[in-house]
Amino acid sequence: MQKTVHVPLDTRAYDVVIGPGLVAEAGKHIAPLLRRKRVAVLTDETVAGLHLDRLRAGLAAEGIEMAALALPAGESTKGWAQFSRAVEWLLEQKVERNDVVVAFGGGVIGDLAGFAAAVLRRGVRFVQIPTSLLAQVDSSVGGKTGINAPQGKNLIGAFHQPSLVLADTEILSTLTTRDFLAGYGEVVKYGLLGDASFFDWLEVNAPAMAEGDMALRVEAVARSVQMKADIVVRDETEQGDRALLNLGHTFCHALEAATGYSDRLMHGEGVAIGCALAFELSSRLGLCSQEDPSRVRAHLKAMGMKTDLADIPGDLPSAAELVALMGQDKKVVDGQLRFILARGIGEAFVTADVPAAKVLEVLEEELAHKVG
Ligand code: GLY
């Protein structure tokens, strides 16, 4: 049931292996990368409690020793304090230039560990073993690494590609439904941005996949990763096409800021709502049919996901304030907001040519539903 997606980036090429039981087999996959049979693992306390023994056993099966540092779970770990703790720990572990660091966790650990590997001794190799659906389909692939600054999310970082990604689809069974569905927001994004047939497939198969069908999970993760790999290979450092991966993110980042990056809205939930809003906006601009945003919402609702601003608990700022929060997004270029819009399902494109009045109109109507 295993699938492999190759990311062909010349000297930085690597494989993403996807399937159940990969943590237990980690040693077999990692051994060919090692000069000496020793790895340093960065993880978080939750993942360590649930899965670290299995990773240790999987490495030991190939005679690989492991030292591990478990950081606190949660987004607040992704800052300078835990980053310097991690880098100093790696130095204490005497990690050398030819050694391999393992990132074992969700997006926070993957981003932080990848950035630590990028700067340690001017760059050591690292392996991603993503444990959340979001990390498996998005953040572990493509080499974006980094931490948050007080001024904003992901503002400090480096492009540093992993040497291998092991996406164990069995480990996803320990996620809460909310975490799983938040990750699913990124899966559906791939269908919406570039592959209508994948969206058709998800409409039919995603309910059984969320219920735990392993073959469907492997297929969904592999198709998502393949699409991400294709885009990253075209545009590794986001000079153009890679921005398509930000479908739904301009709205999402404003909503995350408006909810204080709190439990009220998880990133993947914001992406799902943001995708619905991006299609609504596209339809209002006459770019796609009116049926498209309805179809996007219907699928998200069928999956039990948040789809509208009304689904976010608590008060939200006004439409104008949300637009102002969008202006602080990283994707602003020369003061121009950039949106990912769509000419239909699977046909997204990047544009800076969006009248602010239309964005306001869409948000005002959404907020009216929330109040009403
Ligand atoms: N998560 C968006 C990207 O990797 O470019």
Side-chain angles (χ1 to χ4, degrees):
M1 207 188 279
Q2 236 170 55
K3 289 192 184 257
T4 299
V5 175
H6 185 62
V7 187
L9 284 167
D10 302 320
T11 54
R12 299 173 313 296
Y14 55 96
D15 283 340
V16 182
V17 187
I18 300 143
L22 281 166
V23 170
E25 290 177 14
K28 187 179 89 185
H29 295 277
I30 293 175
L33 299 174
L34 302 181
R35 290 269 185 95
R36 55 175 176 164
K37 292 201 155 187
R38 194 167 174 263
V39 292
V41 178
L42 291 171
T43 185
D44 75 33
E45 286 160 2
T46 307
V47 171
L50 288 168
H51 307 298
L52 197 58
D53 285 345
R54 196 160 3 141
L55 178 61
R56 186 179 286 108
L59 293 167
E62 295 294 319
I64 301 168
E65 271 178 46
M66 172 194 108
L69 174 67
L71 301 171
E75 186 74 26
S76 58
T77 287
K78 221 176 114 174
W80 283 120
Q82 296 296 335
F83 175 72
S84 52
R85 181 177 163 208
V87 170
E88 284 172 24
W89 178 80
L90 291 169
L91 291 170
E92 279 158 21
Q93 296 305 310
K94 304 198 170 14
V95 173
E96 295 176 4
R97 198 76 182 273
N98 288 317
D99 288 334
V100 167
V101 171
V102 175
F104 187 41
V108 167
I109 290 298
D111 285 5
L112 181 145
F115 186 37
V119 297
L120 191 80
R121 300 185 189 279
R122 299 203 177 86
V124 301
R125 291 167 303 153
F126 80 115
V127 171
Q128 291 266 23
I129 308 184
T131 57
S132 68
L133 180 57
L134 186 136
Q136 292 192 356
V137 298
D138 182 29
S139 56
S140 67
V141 180
K144 278 191 182 173
T145 72
I147 56 173
N148 301 329
Q151 289 80 358
K153 280 180 77 175
N154 296 325
L155 292 180
I156 302 155
F159 284 100
H160 187 50
Q161 299 292 343
S163 299
L164 172 70
V165 182
L166 299 175
D168 184 339
T169 47
E170 200 176 327
I171 224 168
L172 301 177
S173 306
T174 57
L175 296 177
T176 63
T177 304
R178 188 176 179 198
D179 276 322
F180 186 88
L181 290 178
Y184 183 71
E186 298 278 1
V187 175
V188 91
K189 179 192 80 177
Y190 290 108
L192 294 176
L193 77 87
D195 187 351
S197 69
F198 184 38
F199 185 75
D200 296 343
W201 185 89
L202 289 170
E203 284 182 315
V204 175
N205 293 297
M209 182 200 70
E211 288 292 311
D213 185 305
M214 203 51 75
L216 294 177
R217 263 185 201 180
V218 173
E219 179 71 17
V221 174
R223 284 181 81 161
S224 301
V225 168
Q226 183 66 61
M227 186 165 299
K228 175 144 190 185
D230 291 346
I231 292 174
V232 166
V233 165
R234 289 207 299 274
D235 177 21
E236 187 179 1
T237 57
E238 198 166 319
Q239 308 302 313
D241 263 13
R242 187 164 178 163
L244 290 172
L245 295 171
N246 295 325
L247 176 64
H249 284 64
T250 306
F251 287 109
C252 170
H253 289 154
L255 294 171
E256 283 183 294
T259 49
Y261 302 97
S262 70
D263 196 40
R264 284 172 62 198
L265 186 73
M266 297 178 69
H267 176 71
E269 294 173 333
V271 171
I273 295 174
C275 286
L277 288 169
F279 271 81
E280 188 61 48
L281 181 58
S282 302
S283 145
R284 297 293 175 92
L285 291 167
L287 293 164
C288 69
S289 84
Q290 287 176 351
E291 281 75 50
D292 286 340
S294 309
R295 194 172 158 205
V296 173
R297 282 207 178 91
H299 177 57
L300 297 175
K301 274 198 209 308
M303 293 300 291
M305 297 169 72
K306 293 184 170 67
T307 52
D308 301 296
L309 299 189
D311 298 329
I312 302 172
D315 292 334
L316 286 176
S318 69
E321 284 164 319
L322 285 173
V323 172
L325 286 171
M326 288 175 188
Q328 284 159 30
D329 197 276
K330 274 201 305 303
K331 296 182 296 301
V332 173
V333 177
D334 296 333
Q336 282 280 79
L337 259 185
R338 281 196 304 164
F339 276 90
I340 319 304
L341 297 179
R343 295 192 179 89
I345 287 176
E347 295 175 61
F349 64 99
V350 187
T351 178
D353 185 20
V354 180
K358 275 281 173 214
V359 183
L360 266 176
E361 185 187 297
V362 167
L363 287 171
E364 268 161 8
E365 275 180 33
E366 277 269 324
L367 286 166
H369 291 148
K370 188 167 171 57
V371 175

